[in-house]
Amino acid sequence: MRACWPVLVAFFALGCHVQNGTPYDGYAEARERMVRDQIAGRGVHDPRVLAAVGHVPRHELVPDAMREHAYEDRPLPIGRDQTISQPYVVAYMTEQLRLRGDERVLEIGTGSGYQAAVLAELAREVYSIEIVEELGERARADLARLGYANVHVRVGDGYRGWPEQAPFDAIIVTAAPGHVPQPLIDQLAVGGRLVLPVGGLDQELLRIERDATGIRREHLIGVRFVPMRGEAETQE
Ligand code: SAH
């Protein structure tokens, strides 16, 4: 019986070993297809972004019942009426932040923690705020379990950003307010980029950049996110 242990240990270790920097976890093929067909195939080209979405185990961040659907081309429910965004939207928004590796990034709407994990692969520190305590706690635990030590999750209303950690080189918002929250613009570093959906049922994705002379605003694509809760609703 004793002789079986090394064999058993080797067998289980195979379930999650790392191959060429990519985790081999039984979902590797589905993830590769997702990157090729849904993301690169639709025009996201930044190789660092493609590597990041090819690496983050999305199936580890969705509820167990959703695991087998984790790499499908759609948003998925993550509980408390919230959703994890479609993989393409995560990759597209991430590319718009133009991360190079040394940034401090703020995310509003931690949700499952998936977007935060993608950011953590691409930037130095990620600060993420989630208004639903249960989701924030779960994401914090999942991200720690997956080894993302550079993600800091706070439970609260993200409308006013995270002033103690400002300024940020990049800010991403994954719940839609009806207007751009001024505190988030104020927390952008010079050269910083803010990507957020704005609107009601029909929303558009905006990229706002701060340079030495002021603020530039650019319209990107039409999107549909859950509404931003809290102060955003009373400030409409
Ligand atoms: N980025 C997430 C998807 C988020 S869905 C992911 O990768 O899974 C939007 C999230 O924003 C929800 O979890 C919702 O609870 C949260 N949210 C809504 N209003 C918020 C607010 N004012 N501050 C922080 N989080 C908020």
Side-chain angles (χ1 to χ4, degrees):
M1 188 60 205
R2 281 201 148 222
C4 291
W5 280 111
V7 179
L8 275 179
V9 169
F11 178 76
F12 283 114
L14 267 180
C16 56
H17 81 278
V18 173
Q19 228 174 20
N20 303 328
T22 304
Y24 178 80
D25 50 25
Y27 288 90
E29 250 177 63
R31 196 163 46 242
E32 240 170 65
R33 262 199 314 274
M34 170 193 84
V35 174
R36 189 186 60 222
D37 300 343
Q38 302 171 32
I39 298 176
R42 291 199 186 114
V44 172
H45 293 313
D46 183 335
R48 296 184 73 244
V49 174
L50 296 178
V53 288
H55 189 246
V56 176
R58 184 168 160 98
H59 62 281
E60 296 273 5
L61 292 160
V62 299
D64 285 348
M66 287 293 136
R67 270 191 167 219
E68 58 179 302
H69 303 293
Y71 296 96
E72 292 174 10
D73 191 14
R74 58 181 174 115
L76 296 173
I78 53 170
R80 303 292 304 262
D81 280 342
Q82 303 302 323
T83 56
I84 176 174
S85 307
Q86 181 187 7
Y88 168 71
V89 172
V90 172
Y92 177 83
M93 290 175 76
T94 304
E95 185 174 52
Q96 296 302 322
L97 293 175
R98 298 198 205 102
L99 301 173
R100 287 292 156 257
D102 59 349
E103 295 87 355
R104 293 158 45 78
V105 183
L106 174 66
E107 177 191 27
I108 310 300
T110 317
S112 67
Y114 177 69
Q115 172 78 70
V118 172
L119 296 169
E121 299 265 350
L122 295 166
R124 184 153 54 87
E125 298 293 336
V126 178
Y127 298 87
S128 187
I129 307 178
E130 170 55 53
I131 202 166
V132 177
E133 182 170 8
E134 182 191 329
L135 294 179
E137 300 293 349
R138 194 196 301 158
R140 182 188 286 135
D142 284 342
L143 289 162
R145 174 173 57 83
L146 294 172
Y148 289 106
N150 58 338
V151 182
H152 314 279
V153 178
R154 173 195 250 189
V155 171
D157 186 343
Y159 183 86
R160 292 191 174 270
W162 194 323
E164 301 85 349
Q165 295 295 343
F168 298 97
D169 306 297
I171 302 178
I172 182 170
V173 182
T174 63
H179 61 276
V180 182
Q182 185 61 37
L184 300 185
I185 296 183
D186 295 343
Q187 289 174 31
L188 269 185
V190 173
R193 291 79 66 195
L194 161 62
V195 172
L196 82 167
V198 175
L201 267 187
D202 284 321
Q203 302 156 10
E204 57 178 347
L205 201 60
L206 301 181
R207 180 172 57 204
I208 295 173
E209 278 190 74
R210 175 190 291 281
D211 62 22
T213 57
I215 295 294
R216 261 188 312 143
R217 201 188 252 252
E218 208 181 315
H219 297 254
L220 301 173
I221 54 173
V223 286
R224 186 161 291 187
F225 280 84
V226 297
M228 186 183 274
R229 302 284 176 213
E231 194 170 341
E233 296 172 299
T234 56
Q235 296 265 342
E236 296 303 329

